[in-house]
Structures are given as C-alpha cells and as structure tokens.
Amino acid sequence: MGLKPATNPDVEAATIELSIDGKTVTAKDGVSLYDVISSTGKIIPAMCYHYTFDPFGSCGMCLVMQEGKKAPVRSCTAKATAGMIVRTEGDDLFQARKKAVEKHLSVHPLDCPVCDADGHCELQDMAFQHGVTNLANAKQKFIPEDTRSLVLDFNMNRCIACAECINVCKDVLMIDALQFMKKGGFNQVVAKGDLPLACEFCGDCLAVCPVGAITNKFSKYLYKPWQMKKTTTTCNYCGDGCQMYLETKDTEVIRVTSPLSWKNKWGDRADTAKGHGGLCVRGRFGFEYIDSAARLKRPLLRKGNQLVEVPWLEAMHAIVDRFADIRKKHGPEAIAGLITARCTNEELYLFQKLMRVAFRTNNLDSSARYGHMNFVRASKHALGVGRTPNDWEDLTKAKAVVVIGSNLTETNPLTSVRIKEAIRVYKAQVVVFDSAVTNLSKLASHPVLIKPGSEGLVIDGLVKAAVELDLVDEESVKQYPQAYAALKTAVAPLSLEQLAARTGVPVAQFKEAATIFAESPRSIILCAEGIVRQPDGYHNVLKLIDLAWITGKLGRPGCGVNTVTEEPNEQGAADMGVAPEFLPGLASFDDQAMRDKLAKAWDATLPAIGTGAHLMEILKRCRTGQIRALYVVGENPLATLPASAEVRAALDRLELLVVQDPFLTETGSIAHAVLPATTSAEKDGTFTNLEGRVLRVRQAMDAIGESVPDWQIMTALANGLGCQWEYDSANDVQAEIMKLLPGYYNLGQPRKITPTAHTYLSNGYAAGAAARYKRAPSDGQRPFTLQMGQLLYHSGKLSTVAPGLIKIGPNTGRIRMNPADMEGLGLQDGSSVKLTSDRGSLQMGVQLDQSVAPHTCFFPEHFNEPPVKDLMSIHVDPVTGVPSFKRTGVSIEKL
Ligand code: SF4
Ligand code: SF4
Ligand code: SF4
Ligand code: FES
C-alpha cells in the first residue's frame, strides 16, 4: 500500500483535481481517497483507519460510490486519481455500511455491560448511528481471554480484525510486537510468535483499538468512562512533555489515556511530525505513585530519634524559627536549597525567589545540575541561548540526524518516535554513535558502536574529518577567519587513525558521518546522557557546536545542536533561574539590568554578585560547616549521588535539614522536618519541555491527606520569614513571571529562538578551541566499563514507587552483561561475580543482556540495591559544576 504521499511533504506527486459530492477538490495524485474526503471536513465512518499509519481496508465502513464502478469502494485503500467523481452520501451507502456493522456484530459477544470500552466503543457508535437493532442471532466465538501480558489483556471475542493495534506498533512505533494468527478457527491478534507480550508496553495499541478487545489490566472493571473525571495535563516523567488525560475518581487515579485514540483518526502527516499523541509505558502505566499508600499525609518533625506526625502549624513554626535563628546567627550564606526539576515553572520561580529574597542567599540549585546544565551553559556561552534550537517537527523532518551518547528509547521514548518517523516517512539518514546496542541504533542507517567513554573523541573525529575533507560551509567560516584558523590549528595534531583506534570508529565511518551531516540540507545533532552527564560534557557540547558551525548548520532552519531532558522541567529550572549563575530568563546572575528589574519587582536586595554555590559546592560547604541549614524540595541527594560524594557526612553535619516531598525519601528519613508535598496531579502550573514548549499541568484531583502544593509551602515559608507574598494560586505566580519574562508563556508553541555565535566566534574563541581539543579521556586500566543508566520503564527514583512499573521493570539486583563477555568469564545467567572498582567491591548476580556492548556492564540507576552507585567515582566539571558519576572501570571475577 505504501505511504500516503499527500501527507508527506517530501514526496513529489502531481496535483490533481477530483470531484467529491459535486465539489471540485485538489489533492496529490495517489493519496488515500479517505484522506482527501476528510481534508474537506467530511467525516465518513471508518473503523480500521487511522491517519498515523497506512490504510488496511478491512472493516468495510468507509464505502463511497465512484463513478464508473458498480459497487461501493473502500475509500481508505482507494487512491485518488485525476478526474475521479466520488459520492460519499446516499441511502445505498448507508445500507452498505449498516450491513458491514451487522456483519461485525454477528460474531460479537455483546458483553457490553462488562466491557471496559462500553460507552467508548466505535462499534457501539456505528451500530447506534446506523440503527442496527437485530442483535439476537449474534454467534459467540468463545475464545479464552489472553491475560499473559503484564499490562494488557486481549479479548479476541470482541476483536473486529481492524489491525489498528498491529499497524500502530509496526508503522508508527517500529516495534512490530503484534501479529494476526489463525487460532481456533479465528484470526486473532497475538504477541509475535504467540508468546507472552514482550514489548515497550507503551499501550498505543490499546489506545487505537476501537472496541474492547485490548483492555488495560490496571483499570479493568473499575468504572465506566463517564463515571471518571478526565483532566488534560502533562506527564511528570520525562522532558518530552507528552499530553495525557488523567482519569480520576475522587482521590484515586484510575487510568491514563492519550490524545492518540481511535476517536482521533482524522489528520495528516504534517500533524504527526509534531508528535503522534501517544504515550510511553511510564506515562500510561506509571500513574500509581500518585495515590500510593506510601504518600506522606502529614508533616513530620524529628523528636528525639524519631520523625513524628505533627500539625502543619507546629511544623511551619518550628522550621521558620530555626531557619530565622540560623540566618541571624550565621548569616544567609549558612543556608542553601535544592529542588527537583519535577516541580512546575511557577514553583521553581518561587523557590529561587524564596532563596534569594526570604533567605537572602544565592546557594541554590536544581536537578538540572546533574547534566542538562552542561548543555545550557555551553549553548548560552556560544550561541546566546540556553536551550535546544529545534522542535519535534524539525527532528521529524530532518534529513540527517546524528545521535551521540543517547539511548533515546530508554530516556525520552517519544522523542525517539520522532526519529523513527524521520527514518520511515522522511527517509532521514540517522547516525547513532553509542557504546551500547541501542534500540535506535538497530533502526539507524548508520549504527556505530563506540568504546565506552570515547564520545568526546568521536566528536574530535567528526570535526577533524569535516576539516580534512573540506566539508566546511564557506559562508559560515569566512566571516570568522581567525576562529576558523584557530579551530584548524586545534585539530591539526589530531589523527583520524589514532582517534579510530581509541574510539573503535573506523576512519571511513568518521568521514561518512561528517559528510552526511555536512551535506544534508536539514541536519540535527542530538546529544544526551553520554555527553552531558559525563566528564567534559560542557566542552563536548562546544565541540558539537564547532561541528555545526563549520558545516553551516548553526542558525539554519531545521538544523542545530540539541539535547533531551530526562526530568519533565529541567529546561524550566534553568529558565526560572534556579542556579547560582542564573537569574530568571537565563540572565547571568551578574546582569545588572536584570538584577535591577528583579530588585524593583521583588522590592528586595538580591544577594551580592560573586556569592552562591551549586549542588556539589553546597554539599562541600555542608561538610565544612559553612552551610548549616538545607531546604530540599523533591530532591534526594542521599539516594542519587555515590558514596564518594560524601552526602551522608554533609547532611549529618547540618543543624537543620528540611525535606519537602510527596514521599519519605532516604534524605527525608534523616531530616529534622519533612513536609508532605503534592504530586503534579494535585496542582496547577506549567512545565517547559525539551523543545521549549510551555505546557499546562492541571490539577486532576484533591490533594492526598494534608499534602500541599510546593508553591503554597514556599509562600508560607517566605511569609513566615517576613515577606508579604500574596499568591492565591499558581496563576498569580504565572502573572508575575509573565511581567518579568514577556513572551515566556507562549503556551503550546515552542518559543522561536535564534542562536547567534557572532560574539563567541569574534572574541576569545581561539584560546578555548585549543584547550578543548587537547582534552582526552584516559582509557582506564580495568578491563570492563560499568555503566549506570536509565531504563525505559523507569524515571529517576519516582517510578520505583509506581507498582505497575516495578512489575514491568523490577530490580533484578543483577549486573547486565553481554553474552560473549559472560562466556569469556565462564558465567551463566544467574552466576555470581565480584565487581571491583577503584572505590570498592561488590558481590552480585549476573544477567544476560544482548544490548550491552562488549567489555561493558550495566546497572539501572533507579535502584540502589545492591549499592552499585557506590562503586562510582565522582568527577565535577570545573566550568559548570556538573557531577559525573555514571561510569567507571571495573574488574569482574567469577565467584
Ligand atoms: S504496548 Fe506498544 S509496543 Fe506493545 S504491542 Fe502495544 S503498541 Fe506495540
Ligand atoms: S485488537 Fe482491537 S485494534 Fe487490534 S485488530 Fe482487534 S479490534 Fe482491531
Ligand atoms: S515519560 Fe516522557 S515520553 Fe513517556 S509519556 Fe511521559 S513525557 Fe511522554
Ligand atoms: S476504514 Fe476503510 S475499510 Fe475500514
């Protein structure tokens, strides 16, 4: 059938004219007739059709009359041709469609009262619309329900064989986990090979199933659709910022549904380039943390050795008194604050205002410091903008994508679906450099396995190849002859052969990748954890900017250097100024104009220029006793950082540790006070996703127990400390931000930014260039590289309190290894090993994993049992203060 060309702007097809219901319509030759009809605004029935994938043509509902044909034709699979005369309405068509519905119902179980799709079923709608009343002779199929999957049940008695589930999985997600199989005399949907479903568990098949043949295990037989409150909000797991519907009943979350649905089937590829509306497993099945029994319901104060529940008033009085006392005795520099990038923009803004105005300190940081800040700082330094220049549409329509150090399917699954569409629909060349066999590398045109830790050298190789092959864009370099001369001098000592030996990338592949990137009209670089969370992340982003600059890809539409954010609001944390070096709007902390503006708006004096500490410096000052009180909002440094960061020693020394969180975390359990905060399902606000889109977070239910949104707690704290804040809602905070940062709330649209490297390339570029191409990571002495990273089924530690996700992705407590390495060490799945790094040893089991590259082993960063993170050394970026601790050399011995 092929792709639908009219909806792919890249496909050349003649423009034709045809007649639909007497009106002349223009279309591209060869497009699905159904698409042409729906583009006129006419909606005709279609049960097996969805615009996100190619037509299948099984349900017999989209019938139209085409002049010259005796019988009705299926418009979804018919191709539009010039001069076609088409009629979409009439009694003959109504009767033909009614017959199709009757045929489906003749083998339907009609168990609507106990079907989760009751009231949300296209077959019901079609029966109703066509007046089908004779249901007495329906034959049952008596197919046993397939309940083998962890999240979905398959009831094939209800299946209408529309193949939407199979097609979305194969076409859109490129996973291809489902198939039809003839079983018991019926064509049934089964997981490939009729095995228990083993896939990404995104649930998009569930979303597009027009009947109740696929059901959600987590919400089965609980409520009918109309009994639930449906709230449109933004996912709280990663920076993709997917829109979702939280369906709740009182203070219980029942299920999550997506904009992608069989109900939303009219559109075109221009729409899917911006996102197909689906969700990943975390978004769809990871909601159970919200109403978890483990949620904190009342404030806790330490009394003796115990944290005991107290009323809010008592907790707030105690906290305010102790903060005020410490500030009075030791000055504001003795106080610091950390906040998670899972908070809303409004809360992040209030947090930095609280720290700077109420506590009068600039010791503040967010979880964006764990990596994203490397990208923000490098991009801001070189291009004057601190975020990605491209949105999902640019990514989808790119002709060349270089993915380096990013296992996107695991960290940002819906961004990875954009690259899949770039591959499938727009025929992009995709080069993936990674030290693991990632899901995306299996689909890429150019998968390149690199040695662990060699990402920086790979970039050196790409820049060197671009210079050596003269792939430079004359326009871009001739304006900055000194900078280009400096870059050429910096890379002159590099040898592609030597880089090939150190990275594992053959010289020819360096040249090919550089050529693909340079010669494509729309080229995008996407770097992530393997760059920004590793040593030298800041300089490596600058080197990627060098590559984009010399090949003419800076500032050109559809081109640029991008990253992804792992938490939902890391970009917002930077934009709101939650960092000692930034003010709101990503203005420098020493930007006098912005300081004056804020001082006036806040009626306060800002902390002095030159003061302030970031995450690692805060912890150091806690250890030395300079910082005596720490306010931690949603962060959990004790469980996140390795033992070598000496977090416990830092926290133990504090006179006051206040933790504000929906759960009692490891850090909370040693705090002096713990305040119960709500999750994002119980509050309003906004997140800024990785594209720079500001997206609404909406309150879907009442707060659990006595928990309170973070912004309200911060307001109470500020007022307790002498401020007079009068925020009654998140909207009030938003109004203040709008005044300070005009244009920030361009809701739903990525704000257009124009990177400009002029100042950077004109001043002081040379010295920096020379230094960054001299930096070379050491190859390490131990035979294996231990890598900690993210799993698709989890996000930070938050997902580990979502039972559904734990069921899908449990902590096996075992280290994952490649089969060849296991064989080399005489290991089998389940064998025990001793893992030794420079920081210590650990005994644990081994698990076979094909995706782990040779000479590496992997452990998911979400789990601390056993404490693999404590084998890690920590390296703090001297420019940005970003701590890297996800990779280390290890020896592995069989026990
Ligand atoms: S859950 Fe997602 S990956 Fe699994 S079969 Fe359905 S569509 Fe495919
Ligand atoms: S399970 Fe649902 S989506 Fe899949 S073929 Fe059957 S009716 Fe269609
Ligand atoms: S975790 Fe990320 S990709 Fe998955 S649904 Fe949420 S925002 Fe989308
Ligand atoms: S929508 Fe065309 S046959 Fe089903």
Side-chain angles (χ1 to χ4, degrees):
M1 240 157 277
L3 288 169
K4 297 180 285 179
T7 52
N8 177 349
D10 274 12
V11 170
E12 301 257 327
T15 303
I16 54 160
E17 282 191 346
L18 61 159
S19 162
I20 294 172
D21 294 332
K23 285 202 184 116
T24 303
V25 175
T26 54
K28 271 191 186 175
D29 192 18
V31 70
S32 155
L33 184 55
Y34 188 90
D35 279 345
V36 183
I37 295 167
S38 53
S39 72
T40 66
K42 196 172 283 279
I43 301 297
I44 58 170
M47 285 203 293
C48 67
Y49 175 85
H50 202 287
Y51 78 99
T52 53
F53 43 80
D54 294 342
F56 184 64
S58 69
C59 75
M61 291 300 293
C62 62
L63 301 174
V64 294
M65 291 308 297
Q66 182 187 342
E67 200 168 281
K69 301 246 164 132
K70 285 196 189 121
V73 297
R74 294 175 185 217
S75 61
C76 65
T77 49
K79 294 193 172 178
T81 53
M84 234 178 190
I85 299 175
V86 176
R87 175 167 58 81
T88 67
E89 286 162 13
D91 191 52
D92 52 344
L93 288 171
F94 181 85
Q95 293 305 333
R97 289 172 191 152
K98 182 175 178 178
K99 257 203 187 103
V101 183
E102 284 170 343
K103 195 168 154 228
H104 287 298
L105 285 169
S106 69
V107 286
H108 206 74
L110 300 178
D111 57 349
C112 306
V114 288
C115 176
D116 269 6
D118 183 24
H120 181 82
C121 168
E122 197 166 26
L123 190 56
Q124 276 187 350
D125 290 357
M126 288 299 118
F128 188 73
Q129 205 172 307
H130 291 86
V132 178
T133 50
N134 177 18
L135 304 171
N137 296 327
K139 284 193 210 108
Q140 293 276 356
K141 293 189 214 160
F142 298 112
I143 300 170
E145 193 170 23
D146 181 351
T147 58
R148 290 174 294 172
S149 153
L150 292 169
V151 297
L152 302 170
D153 286 338
F154 291 79
N155 184 334
M156 287 300 111
N157 297 297
R158 299 176 185 149
C159 176
I160 60 166
C162 69
E164 294 210 17
C165 53
I166 296 171
N167 288 338
V168 77
C169 191
K170 177 162 64 70
D171 276 12
V172 180
L173 307 164
M174 294 177 90
I175 297 168
D176 203 9
L178 299 172
Q179 67 171 109
F180 278 129
M181 185 179 270
K182 195 99 176 168
K183 270 176 60 177
F186 297 101
N187 225 4
Q188 299 186 33
V189 175
V190 293
K192 276 275 158 93
D194 199 18
L195 297 164
L197 187 61
C199 62
E200 291 184 12
F201 296 115
C202 67
D204 277 1
C205 51
L206 163 75
V208 296
C209 179
V211 293
I214 305 181
T215 46
N216 183 337
K217 265 197 158 85
F218 298 99
S219 59
K220 206 161 162 186
Y221 304 140
L222 289 179
Y223 294 100
K224 294 289 181 190
W226 59 86
Q227 293 175 309
M228 293 181 275
K229 179 181 158 199
K230 189 169 173 176
T231 308
T232 307
T233 190
T234 306
C235 177
N236 188 28
Y237 275 123
C238 86
D240 285 356
C242 297
Q243 296 302 282
M244 56 164 55
Y245 307 125
L246 265 185
E247 299 197 19
T248 52
K249 183 88 178 66
D250 307 321
T251 52
E252 208 184 342
V253 185
I254 308 300
R255 67 180 184 185
V256 170
T257 50
S258 58
L260 175 77
S261 141
W262 62 263
K263 279 212 170 210
N264 175 14
K265 56 176 64 184
W266 299 279
D268 60 31
R269 296 254 191 242
D271 294 332
T272 61
K274 296 185 186 117
H276 77 295
L279 295 170
C280 81
V281 57
R282 303 189 292 247
R284 200 181 296 276
F285 300 113
F287 57 84
E288 291 167 301
Y289 74 92
I290 297 169
D291 52 9
S292 154
R295 282 282 303 275
L296 280 173
K297 300 194 180 59
R298 298 188 76 204
L300 305 172
L301 262 190
R302 185 161 297 280
K303 295 191 174 171
N305 277 339
Q306 283 196 321
L307 282 169
V308 291
E309 287 193 350
V310 294
W312 265 104
L313 218 53
E314 184 183 338
M316 289 306 279
H317 275 308
I319 292 166
V320 166
D321 287 351
R322 284 161 85 178
F323 269 130
D325 190 45
I326 290 169
R327 189 178 61 182
K328 193 168 157 209
K329 281 195 190 133
H330 306 285
E333 286 297 302
I335 300 175
L338 301 172
I339 189 168
T340 174
R342 292 192 200 279
C343 280
T344 62
N345 284 318
E346 294 67 27
E347 290 166 339
L348 290 159
Y349 168 82
L350 275 198
F351 175 80
Q352 59 82 38
K353 182 173 170 183
L354 171 78
M355 297 311 299
R356 288 168 171 152
V357 173
F359 291 120
R360 301 198 293 271
T361 177
N362 195 34
N363 299 331
L364 73 162
D365 216 343
S366 80
S367 48
R369 185 70 56 185
Y370 285 116
H372 187 53
M373 203 48 84
N374 268 333
F375 185 87
V376 171
R377 290 279 301 271
S379 179
K380 177 97 178 136
H381 172 65
L383 308 172
V385 291
R387 55 156 254 235
T388 58
N390 300 113
D391 59 18
W392 270 1
E393 189 168 3
D394 286 341
L395 190 55
T396 311
K397 294 180 176 174
K399 281 293 176 193
V401 184
V402 174
V403 181
I404 179 159
S406 174
N407 196 345
L408 271 185
T409 310
E410 310 285 324
T411 58
N412 295 75
L414 271 287
T415 300
S416 113
V417 176
R418 291 301 90 231
I419 298 189
K420 290 176 184 179
E421 186 156 329
I423 294 172
R424 191 174 56 87
V425 179
Y426 295 88
K427 309 290 175 228
Q429 302 212 70
V430 175
V431 189
V432 175
F433 291 105
D434 209 289
S435 56
V437 184
T438 67
N439 175 283
L440 215 50
S441 70
K442 291 182 197 151
L443 302 170
S445 55
H446 296 74
V448 190
L449 199 60
I450 64 171
K451 290 189 182 169
S454 69
E455 287 87 352
L457 295 173
V458 170
I459 306 170
D460 289 359
L462 291 171
V463 176
K464 174 79 181 173
V467 171
E468 207 171 280
L469 298 178
D470 199 20
L471 295 167
V472 296
D473 176 72
E474 285 306 320
E475 261 316 285
S476 303
V477 297
K478 83 173 176 207
Q479 296 173 46
Y480 307 103
Q482 284 175 337
Y484 187 52
L487 180 64
K488 281 214 290 198
T489 310
V491 299
L494 301 177
S495 129
L496 281 180
E497 287 70 22
Q498 278 172 11
L499 289 169
R502 293 195 60 191
T503 59
V505 180
V507 171
Q509 268 183 328
F510 274 132
K511 292 183 175 173
E512 189 177 16
T515 307
I516 289 170
F517 182 77
E519 292 186 347
S520 152
R522 295 197 300 272
S523 301
I524 283 183
I525 293 170
L526 222 156
C527 67
E529 74 281 0
I531 298 288
V532 298
R533 291 180 182 238
Q534 295 299 335
D536 254 344
Y538 174 78
H539 285 106
N540 286 336
V541 176
L542 286 180
K543 290 197 285 196
L544 288 170
I545 291 172
D546 284 344
L547 178 65
W549 162 50
I550 61 171
T551 53
K553 311 298 184 203
L554 276 188
R556 181 179 288 178
C559 298
V561 181
N562 296 263
T563 190
V564 293
T565 45
E566 285 190 21
E567 288 185 354
N569 208 14
E570 289 181 49
Q571 188 59 47
D575 292 346
M576 293 300 128
V578 188
E581 65 268 54
F582 290 124
L583 293 168
L586 269 177
S588 265
F589 186 67
D590 58 5
D591 178 330
Q592 199 52 52
M594 191 60 175
R595 287 175 67 85
D596 292 346
K597 187 174 177 181
L598 292 172
K600 191 167 168 217
W602 294 346
D603 192 17
T605 308
L606 268 63
I609 291 171
T611 61
H614 56 60
L615 168 70
M616 298 311 291
E617 182 61 28
I618 287 172
L619 292 172
K620 190 172 144 201
R621 291 187 195 175
C622 291
R623 272 196 307 279
T624 59
Q626 286 164 277
I627 290 176
R628 291 162 183 261
L630 184 63
Y631 176 45
V632 179
V633 181
E635 261 304 288
N636 188 5
L638 197 53
T640 306
L641 288 159
S644 52
E646 299 176 80
V647 180
R648 183 70 204 235
L651 302 183
D652 278 349
R653 182 114 200 243
L654 288 167
E655 287 169 32
L656 177 60
L657 172 61
V658 178
V659 173
Q660 183 172 309
D661 203 286
F663 294 92
L664 185 59
T665 61
E666 287 83 345
T667 306
S669 63
I670 63 163
H672 300 100
V674 184
L675 302 175
T678 60
T679 66
S680 63
E682 305 144 86
K683 64 188 173 193
D684 289 320
T686 55
F687 288 153
T688 303
N689 83 342
L690 50 77
E691 303 165 279
R693 245 178 243 268
V694 181
L695 301 159
R696 284 250 181 247
V697 172
R698 290 187 179 86
Q699 183 172 359
M701 54 191 245
D702 289 342
I704 300 270
E706 292 179 18
S707 62
V708 173
D710 290 293
W711 68 266
Q712 279 185 29
I713 307 175
M714 290 176 208
T715 303
L717 257 181
N719 288 342
L721 288 161
C723 299
Q724 275 151 15
W725 291 3
E726 291 175 353
Y727 307 113
D728 286 329
S729 68
N731 273 350
D732 290 349
V733 185
Q734 207 176 96
E736 183 170 318
I737 301 171
M738 274 171 166
K739 277 194 207 143
L740 290 168
L741 308 177
Y744 191 80
Y745 284 96
N746 191 4
L747 279 171
Q749 293 301 318
R751 280 170 304 116
K752 284 288 166 210
I753 51 167
T754 318
T756 166
H758 180 69
T759 311
Y760 170 63
L761 294 171
S762 316
N763 300 306
Y765 173 89
R772 64 179 165 268
Y773 288 91
K774 268 193 208 133
R775 298 162 173 272
S778 70
D779 287 334
Q781 301 307 311
R782 295 189 184 269
F784 287 90
T785 300
L786 167 63
Q787 173 79 45
M788 290 189 77
Q790 192 172 323
L791 295 180
L792 166 64
Y793 308 122
H794 289 287
S795 168
K797 304 278 182 285
L798 181 62
S799 58
T800 62
V801 282
L805 294 179
I806 286 292
K807 196 166 140 199
I808 300 167
N811 179 16
T812 62
R814 293 188 282 164
I815 197 84
R816 298 167 190 227
M817 287 182 76
N818 163 300
D821 286 338
M822 284 176 61
E823 200 185 326
L825 291 172
L827 300 170
Q828 279 154 6
D829 202 58
S831 300
S832 293
V833 291
K834 183 176 169 193
L835 222 59
T836 305
S837 77
D838 292 348
R839 307 294 313 184
S841 292
L842 200 62
Q843 292 187 8
M844 61 195 302
V846 186
Q847 178 178 342
L848 188 146
D849 190 333
Q850 298 278 5
S851 68
V852 177
H855 312 301
T856 60
C857 52
F858 176 86
F859 193 76
E861 65 187 28
H862 319 284
F863 306 115
N864 286 340
E865 223 13 80
V868 176
K869 75 172 170 58
D870 292 338
L871 294 179
M872 302 290 179
S873 304
I874 195 157
H875 171 279
V876 180
D877 191 292
V879 181
T880 61
V882 168
S884 335
F885 51 91
K886 298 287 170 77
R887 196 183 268 161
T888 193
V890 286
S891 316
I892 302 177
E893 288 165 63
K894 183 181 176 186
L895 290 178

